[in-house]
Amino acid sequence: MISAFFNAFRAPDLRKKIGFTLFILVIFRLGSTIPAPNVNISAIRQCAADAQTGDAAGLYSMINLFSGGALLHLAIFALGIMPYITASIILQLLTVVIPRLEALKKEGSTGQETITKYTRWLTIVLAVLQATSFTMLAVSGQLYRSCSQSVVYSTGVFSIIVMILTMTAGTSLIMWLGELITERGVGNGMSILIFTQIAARFPASIWGIRTAHPGNQGWLLLVIVVAIGLLVMAGVVYVESAQRRIPVQYAKRMVGNRLLGGSTTYIPLKVNQAGVIPVIFAASILYLPVLYTIFHPDGAAATWIGRNLAGNGSSWEYNLIYAVLIIFFTYFYVSITFDPVEISDNMKKYGGFIPGIRAGKPTENYLAYVLSRLTAPGSLYLAFISLLPTIAIVLLGADQNFPFGGTSLLIMVGVGLDTVKQIESQLHQRNYEGFLQ
């Protein structure tokens, strides 16, 4: 693996791609630390530090999950890549229910370019809405309710508009940077940017475990947490790589004067076919009542939500709802992204069949049966990984900044595997030994 790593830098074009990707990531992290205009830097740093250690630490940890610390400090890139992710998910879901989008998806690269254009425009709309929401919360003092300092210098209309436009422009720039990485760098640009934002929080989160417990107990707990984290990551890599391969054989057929077909391939069905999307969906749904408490902090409903859904995440109500939502969205997302009817029809059209299974309806039923059997352990696996921070809180006395668990771990491992495989494929083209040998 080490020799393959050095071989990646010996190839001139691959070295340029890696260097370009690292350069873009430096710009991205720089924009995540520069505050937006009208932001009181010293006040917001103090308020953010107090919020992450106070009673509402769970709430701010949830809000700040994908921003790498930029959102709580109202940086230029405060919104991060989340507006683009949300827009992509919305367009993907609408493709199933809107015939026009479904037709565009089937047109190939031309239709995908049109869908990408729609995604960009929807991203801008969502960025404006989110930037407006967080800016107004900061101006009204509701962003940090427990902090008495003002995080902005001016509450005038012009200053508010400048802040909103700056954060929206930051999201547009992030989209462009992600596309540059995809075109000229290594890996999927948007995924790598998410990876960078989450990884930026890891050093402080791990060291926070040490500082939270004085003396040798802190060091011992730090070693235990890191060891558990490495084991969990190994397990996640194993499950993410696991797949059920359904063999498909194509019959020979005459096309003109040539005999074609007769090949054998397979349909790879992953155990975690849905990826991290169900976890994001579930967290988004649970975030809605948290938003309600921000805008309506008084009342019995806000009190119950603040105690059970916006606290430290250790209540059984929160964890039960979270796990049920993850399992539900796993089945839902798999059902709309993998269509056994379409797969069966395509196989029948091109003369393919599963050995021992008749073409048509029996093939459709068989694919649906295998997919349901794989989705069950996949959904339970996602629910378990997502509840790891809660388990750590109960067993290890960790806090909300526990680094190994939930959405962050799934995204980091998934993006890391995908990037390594892409580098490995380029190394194989140059007759180098790959990373995963």
Side-chain angles (χ1 to χ4, degrees), residues 17 29 56 63 80 86 111 118 137 148 150 156-157 173 179-180 188 198 205 236 256 279 298 355 368 386 429 435:
K17 290 183 178 181
R29 286 305 304 160
I63 294 175
T86 306
Y118 293 158
L137 287 175
S148 59
S150 177
V157 176
L173 183 58
E179 292 176 357
L180 282 180
N188 182 279
I198 295 176
S205 299
V236 171
V279 181
D298 300 324
S386 301
Q429 295 176 3
F435 273 98

Side-chain angles (χ1 to χ4, degrees), residues 391-433:
I391 299 174
I393 291 172
V394 174
L395 299 181
L396 300 177
D399 59 8
Q400 285 301 310
N401 294 323
F402 180 74
F404 300 104
T407 310
S408 58
L409 184 61
L410 291 171
I411 292 177
M412 291 188 65
V413 172
V415 174
L417 285 175
D418 180 66
T419 304
V420 167
K421 287 179 180 178
Q422 290 195 31
I423 296 177
E424 183 194 31
S425 65
Q426 297 192 36
L427 287 174
H428 283 167
Q429 295 176 3
R430 297 164 178 82
N431 298 322
Y432 289 142
E433 185 176 347

Side-chain angles (χ1 to χ4, degrees), residues 32-33 49 124 166 222 228 242 245 264 294 317 360 368 390 392 406-407 421:
S32 300
T33 58
I124 298 301
T166 301
L222 177 64
I228 294 176
R245 296 182 176 182
T264 301
I294 293 178
E317 294 93 345
T390 301
T407 310
K421 287 179 180 178

Side-chain angles (χ1 to χ4, degrees), residues 206-222 225 392-393 395-399:
I206 294 177
W207 187 249
I209 298 174
R210 158 69 183 88
T211 56
H213 300 81
N216 295 329
Q217 181 184 1
W219 288 107
L220 177 62
L221 190 59
L222 177 64
V225 169
I393 291 172
L395 299 181
L396 300 177
D399 59 8

Side-chain angles (χ1 to χ4, degrees), residues 41 58 106 157 160 184 262 331:
I41 300 177
K106 294 180 179 179
V157 176
I160 294 175
R184 304 181 184 179
Y331 277 93

Side-chain angles (χ1 to χ4, degrees), residues 181-219:
I181 293 177
T182 303
E183 294 175 3
R184 304 181 184 179
V186 178
N188 182 279
M190 301 302 175
S191 300
I192 291 179
L193 292 182
I194 300 174
F195 177 93
T196 304
Q197 286 179 313
I198 295 176
R201 303 175 57 211
F202 255 59
S205 299
I206 294 177
W207 187 249
I209 298 174
R210 158 69 183 88
T211 56
H213 300 81
N216 295 329
Q217 181 184 1
W219 288 107

Side-chain angles (χ1 to χ4, degrees), residues 265-277:
T265 182
Y266 61 87
I267 301 175
L269 295 179
K270 297 179 63 176
V271 174
N272 182 22
Q273 188 76 10
V276 74
I277 299 299

